[in-house]
Amino acid sequence: MESEMLQSPLLGLGEEDEADLTDWNLPLAFMKKRHCEKIEGSKSLAQSWRMKDRMKTVSVALVLCLNVGVDPPDVVKTTPCARLECWIDPLSMGPQKALETIGANLQKQYENWQPRARYKQSLDPTVDEVKKLCTSLRRNAKEERVLFHYNGHGVPRPTVNGEIWVFNKNYTQYIPLSIYDLQTWMGSPSIFVYDCSNAGLIVKSFKQFALQREQELEVAAINPNHPLAQMPLPPSMKNCIQLAACEANELLPMIPDLPADLFTSCLTTPIKIALRWFCMQKCVSLVPGVTLDLIEKIPGRLNDRRTPLGELNWIFTAITDTIAWNVLPRDLFQKLFRQDLLVASLFRNFLLAERIMRSYNCTPVSSPRLPPTYMHAMWQAWDLAVDICLSQLPTIIEEGTAFRHSPFFAEQLTAFQVWLTMGVENRNPPEQLPIVLQVLLSQVHRLRALDLLGRFLDLGPWAVSLALSVGIFPYVLKLLQSSARELRPLLVFIWAKILAVDSELVVALSHLVVQYESNFCTVALQFMEEEKNYPLPSPATTEGGSLTPVRESPCTPRLRSVSSYGNIRAVTTARSLNKSLQNLSLTEESGSAVAFSPGNLSTSSSASSTLGSPENEEYILSFETIDKMRRVSSYSALNSLIGVSFNSVYTQIWRVLLHLAADPYPDVSDLAMKVLNSIAYKATVNARPQRILTTSSLTQSAPASPTNKGIHIHQAGGSPPTSSTSSSSLTNDVAKQPVGRDLPAGRPGAPGPAGVQYTPHSQQFPRTRKMFDKGPDQTTDDADDAAGHRSFVSATTQTGFCDWSARYFAQPVMKIPEEHDLESQIRKEREWRFLRNTRVRQQARQLIQKGIAKLDDQIFLNRNPGVPSVVKFHPFTPCVAVADKDSICFWDWEKGEKLDYFHNGNPRYTRVTAMEYLNGQDCSLLLTATDDGAIRVWKNFADLEKNPEMVTAWQGLSDMLPTTRGAGMVVDWEQETGLLMSSGDVRIVRIWDTDREMKVQDIPTGADSCVTSLSCDSHRSLIVAGLGDGSIRVYDRRMALSECRVMTYREHTAWVVKAYLQKHPEGHIMSVSVNGDVRFFDPRMPESVNVLQIVKGLTALDIHPQANLIACGSMNQFTAVYSGNGELINHIKYYDGFMGQRVGAISCLAFHPHWPHLAVGSNDYYISVYSVEKRTR
């Protein structure tokens, strides 16, 4: 699907050339997320789902004031009246036995919800008995929750003074018990259940007394001399919960078919009372044959979901959880429904109590108060589930037919699926989310539920937070132990989503890692094997040492590779290390031994010997540098380390770090320098150590070594060689040139202050001491140094790569990418750019077809901030980039305005020698190459809203010596393949794959002179190089290195200024030397097919790819334009508008890729653009 959309033709273009349509198919370089985004994690959302004060109700006080057989004086009961207490008729047995049976039944009902709690009954108690009971339970519970259940059906109603009633010892009087005293005895945290008439009065009094206590606590805290401060401080009642059967002015319902303790029945036996109440409604007539006696015979157990009773209980739990989650604020839901198992059960059942008791004009009360839920739409789903179940009862009981399970969960999953597929992005959360959680308990629906849950979590971090707030964590944690293979991919995806949003959950998984490591390794390896961009190396032997120790197992080499890859990537930035290590060529591309590749950080003896062999002299640090480091006293600890073997794993790592410290990408070099600082700090063992070296001291010349092979550190972008000594400070980072629109007045100069001298702790030990002597105490200075060392170590580990990688899983990955959405803004912008490109191509082609008589109409002239060294037209916008020694300036050649000017970031002793536009047809990037071999890629240039930003940088050539007389670095870019050809003052042509960010080929030039010009043709896989000795060499990159040079032309006798390979199947090679001889070669022929002579003494030359024009600049201060057959079209010697001022010596020139425009830069700082005559345009 994506490929079809990428290849879709432009709309509304009419008849275009095929070349115009290829804009959609051209690959984009350096436009992946790691290039476009800052390498940092997403802002973490505040996670409120994790309960910091999770509690458990450990003690329960059951206080029953029934006084069976004697009705309280303030209650007039109806006839008939509700009599059942805990489903026991108290008049069916003796008063005392009835009281004990009711108490035992109530305890059993509570034990169904919290079987491990400590239960104490107090039947028709006195005040002292209640006090003794409450104080003993609080003492045993300590900081846990205690439940106080009060049944006051046999005593008067609560008073407005905040009192409930109990008995005296002889049961001759009702004795008031103050709620204030009850608070004192119960303490906090507690939960109170009041089943009596006017129970809302107790809740009000409780709150008043709690406020009074808070005021007393404040007074005692402010004034220690106050009498309250001398008394025992009252406990705070902030963390107490209350459930009351009715409001302050309401009586309990007395319906004969319902129990007298209706509120208690709803809280402790919800399914039984819900079915009984359902049968009493008018709608039950739709289910014939169902009676109150029949519902007592429903088969099954509450905890067995396969039975009718268990399934109803399961559905009830899901519905009440769903109602609470959709109605309650999130923090209140967490407190009441996720903090305590018993409290959650009571509040779920309280929702049922509200529904049933409101139907009898009785309103249950809670503190904290809940919004009304009795009319919620989910109750209709409950009625339907009950209806379906009860309709089967007669046949199940009488005929023994099988029970048909309810379609409730399947229907709710369908509703959730509809929400996922049909909803818009900005919408309310799906109300079925808690039900999806319950469905995870069912093996029948589990796979579908996990799939829908994964799709929901994919919507973003907000969806993950919602799922966690519902309580998904314990469910999916339990599912990790499942042996079902079909669940593993879904669980991996779900856990990736969860961990990306809440990384603290890694701790919760730690105990499962060992037990289930093989399961997840299998899944992870399956995913990694499908990843094509970073193919896994072949398993290697474990000899030679692995930096990541793992247990021996069949997948050990791969796990080692993955772990090492993550470690290396975490030390540097994501986008630069891969190519940096590749530049060091520490990977054997053809051999089987892999050493220090991004995929495998293990070493073998064969790999080590290869790295130290003479054939690899351009890839590793010179032995002179290593030898010099051995002589630096600050690195005495490294003497023995490196002295083990020049090819040891430690030496290789040290070499890599030295290369990375000189990397042109600032983040890479900064991190590498911090690692080097930390290592050097630890290595200081001398009594009077020297100050630690910087990159500048690494670059000074060293005595001759046994071999003359290797490179210098400063070639990769450090400071120039100076006379600095080894006392320079390594604690000073390499000075970085700021990047901005306005250049600073000066360049970075001398390094900062020298490092502080340090005496190692080991020098304070005597030479002979006891085995376990801890040595002298550390001084204050040593403590400061230790703190400094800790800062070194912590600095080396600060990278956002892991968090940035995790952010991928926090973002939606299932929906269509925006760039592939036909209606997205990004897609519309691309269509506009491609229409613009087509228009430019067509108009330029039409202008060229009219014929070019002259090319001397000056359409732009301005003074550049620096002497132009390289000039490059943007292919489709009126923008020209002009590079001087170390800065880039952008000009609008249509409006004559300067658009941007910024520093390239290269060291002051280097110069920019080449530029290329990457992705010119779309989102353009600018590539700059300097004569030290460094390549930098920039974005946001010539942008009025954003500052220029370095996308990436790497060392394109590793053995370049900056010089003012050489060719510097020359490059040629293939947009069709994403390949970058690079060469210069070296003996190779290096090919980089920008998609994989790695070097793919080093083609030896076979010459002793530098490469001055490169040109390639992707269709024929040919590379043409012009050299300083006048030769033209043709390479076929498809062939082996020993055979790839397919043709050499030696007809030029001087420096080749330009070699150009025409981009069509029969295209010829055009080459020009400084002597002005233009030669045309057919790559199939051994000699030139045509020779032309133009002006001599050339300093710059370019060939127009479309118009058959040649422009050359001369040291004699003029520019000449020739046709392809050698005819002179015109000379340009003077500037327009400057009273005939003579142009300076030409330093650079370039044609526009499409328009017949010529940009010329001269040594007098001026940059000018010429075009055909105005009447022609």
Side-chain angles (χ1 to χ4, degrees), residues 763-965:
Q763 295 294 324
Q764 304 175 30
F765 285 92
R767 290 188 176 274
T768 58
R769 58 189 174 94
K770 295 180 180 180
M771 180 178 296
F772 297 106
D773 183 11
K774 67 178 181 179
D777 295 333
Q778 283 278 36
T779 62
T780 304
D781 293 339
D782 292 337
D784 293 339
D785 287 334
H789 181 222
R790 284 194 298 271
S791 67
F792 270 136
V793 174
S794 64
T796 62
T797 59
Q798 293 176 354
T799 170
F801 174 72
C802 293
D803 294 336
W804 174 81
S805 300
R807 190 175 68 178
Y808 167 81
F809 294 98
Q811 303 303 321
V813 297
M814 292 184 182
K815 74 174 190 178
I816 299 176
E818 193 175 4
E819 59 269 20
H820 295 157
D821 185 357
L822 297 178
E823 300 301 323
S824 67
Q825 181 179 353
I826 293 179
R827 178 77 177 194
K828 297 297 183 183
E829 290 175 355
R830 293 194 76 194
E831 288 182 357
W832 178 87
R833 283 192 291 267
F834 296 161
L835 286 168
R836 173 205 63 189
N837 300 350
T838 302
R839 186 176 62 253
V840 169
R841 290 189 186 102
Q842 290 177 346
Q843 293 177 356
R845 189 182 305 114
Q846 292 171 2
L847 183 58
I848 292 172
Q849 289 173 354
K850 292 180 181 179
I852 299 174
K854 284 190 176 183
L855 195 71
D856 58 356
D857 184 15
Q858 182 178 291
I859 61 175
F860 171 81
L861 177 66
N862 224 312
R863 182 179 175 86
N864 202 59
V867 177
S869 60
V870 184
V871 61
K872 193 76 175 178
F873 276 107
H874 189 281
F876 300 108
T877 64
C879 173
V880 60
V882 183
D884 53 38
K885 185 170 179 266
D886 54 8
S887 302
I888 314 293
C889 187
F890 289 88
W891 297 92
D892 186 325
W893 49 264
E894 281 187 349
K895 299 179 180 179
E897 299 175 353
K898 182 167 72 171
L899 302 175
D900 214 338
Y901 184 47
F902 62 91
H903 189 263
N904 185 51
N906 50 295
R908 62 177 180 269
Y909 62 90
T910 61
R911 58 192 174 95
V912 178
T913 59
M915 288 192 302
E916 288 285 350
Y917 282 104
L918 313 184
N919 314 327
Q921 82 288 354
D922 203 344
C923 301
S924 300
L925 304 174
L926 182 73
L927 179 145
T928 64
T930 52
D931 60 353
D932 61 350
I935 296 173
R936 295 170 178 84
V937 179
W938 297 90
K939 68 178 180 180
N940 300 338
F941 52 85
D943 191 326
L944 299 179
E945 299 179 356
K946 300 177 183 178
N947 288 326
E949 184 180 345
M950 186 183 293
V951 177
T952 186
W954 74 97
Q955 200 65 30
L957 295 171
S958 53
D959 51 359
M960 294 268 295
L961 287 173
T963 173
T964 57
R965 303 185 63 182

Side-chain angles (χ1 to χ4, degrees), residues 407-418:
F408 170 79
F409 289 107
E411 292 170 350
Q412 294 298 319
L413 286 181
T414 301
F416 186 54
Q417 184 175 358
V418 170

Side-chain angles (χ1 to χ4, degrees), residues 241-522:
I241 299 171
Q242 301 177 84
L243 297 175
C246 58
E247 287 280 11
N249 57 350
E250 294 176 348
L251 297 178
L252 295 178
M254 303 181 188
I255 309 300
D257 291 331
L258 292 175
D261 60 346
L262 178 60
F263 185 63
T264 300
S265 298
C266 290
L267 294 183
T268 56
T269 57
I271 303 302
K272 188 172 183 178
I273 191 64
L275 295 176
R276 193 175 189 88
W277 178 78
F278 180 82
C279 289
M280 294 170 60
Q281 306 306 304
K282 295 180 181 179
C283 63
V284 78
S285 58
L286 298 176
V287 188
V290 176
T291 62
L292 293 179
D293 294 333
L294 190 63
I295 62 174
E296 300 289 341
K297 302 177 182 178
I298 295 181
R301 300 188 308 274
L302 287 175
N303 56 2
D304 188 354
R305 293 189 299 270
R306 296 169 297 180
T307 62
L309 196 60
E311 186 178 73
L312 283 176
N313 185 51
W314 184 24
I315 295 174
F316 176 80
T317 302
I319 286 178
T320 50
D321 240 19
T322 300
I323 294 174
W325 186 76
N326 282 283
V327 173
L328 269 60
R330 294 285 179 263
D331 55 345
L332 187 59
F333 176 82
Q334 291 292 326
K335 178 181 179 181
L336 301 182
F337 287 82
R338 293 296 181 264
Q339 188 184 57
D340 185 321
L341 182 63
L342 181 57
V343 170
S345 300
L346 290 178
F347 268 92
R348 275 196 296 267
N349 302 340
F350 178 82
L351 301 184
L352 174 68
E354 183 190 16
R355 187 188 190 210
I356 292 179
M357 299 186 74
R358 270 183 180 268
S359 67
Y360 300 111
N361 300 317
C362 189
T363 306
V365 179
S366 68
S367 176
R369 198 172 189 90
L370 304 185
T373 61
Y374 67 101
M375 292 295 289
H376 196 277
M378 287 302 296
W379 284 120
Q380 299 178 15
W382 165 248
D383 291 340
L384 177 60
V386 172
D387 194 291
I388 294 175
C389 178
L390 294 183
S391 65
Q392 303 179 58
L393 268 186
T395 56
I396 292 176
I397 295 176
E398 297 172 6
E399 302 175 10
T401 58
F403 172 66
R404 298 190 309 274
H405 292 281
S406 171
F408 170 79
F409 289 107
E411 292 170 350
Q412 294 298 319
L413 286 181
T414 301
F416 186 54
Q417 184 175 358
V418 170
W419 185 93
L420 286 172
T421 55
M422 306 301 291
V424 295
E425 289 194 12
N426 298 324
R427 47 188 155 161
N428 294 327
E431 65 178 15
Q432 298 84 8
L433 192 57
I435 298 178
V436 176
L437 204 67
Q438 290 290 329
V439 177
L440 295 178
L441 299 173
S442 168
Q443 291 186 357
V444 177
H445 304 292
R446 184 175 295 159
L447 188 62
R448 183 185 177 195
L450 284 175
D451 178 51
L452 295 176
L453 182 61
R455 289 169 56 185
F456 175 72
L457 298 181
D458 188 58
L459 296 178
W462 65 269
V464 177
S465 298
L466 281 178
L468 290 174
S469 72
V470 172
I472 188 180
F473 176 69
Y475 288 80
V476 292
L477 186 64
K478 184 71 174 177
L479 284 177
L480 287 180
Q481 305 174 33
S482 172
S483 59
R485 296 181 61 87
E486 64 273 12
L487 301 182
R488 294 177 187 173
L490 295 172
L491 286 172
V492 168
F493 182 81
I494 289 172
W495 271 106
K497 288 289 181 182
I498 294 175
L499 295 178
V501 174
D502 194 340
S503 57
E504 296 179 11
L505 290 178
V506 175
V507 179
L509 286 175
S510 59
H511 69 282
L512 292 171
V513 169
V514 176
Q515 183 178 0
Y516 303 105
E517 181 180 12
S518 60
N519 293 349
F520 278 93
C521 287
T522 304

Side-chain angles (χ1 to χ4, degrees), residues 17 172 259 294 494 567 670 699 710 747 836 878 922 926 987 1031 1075 1104 1171:
D17 292 338
T172 59
L294 190 63
I494 289 172
N567 294 339
D670 289 346
T699 60
R747 304 298 186 194
R836 173 205 63 189
D922 203 344
L926 182 73
R987 304 298 178 262
S1031 63
N1075 292 335
H1104 198 288
S1171 183

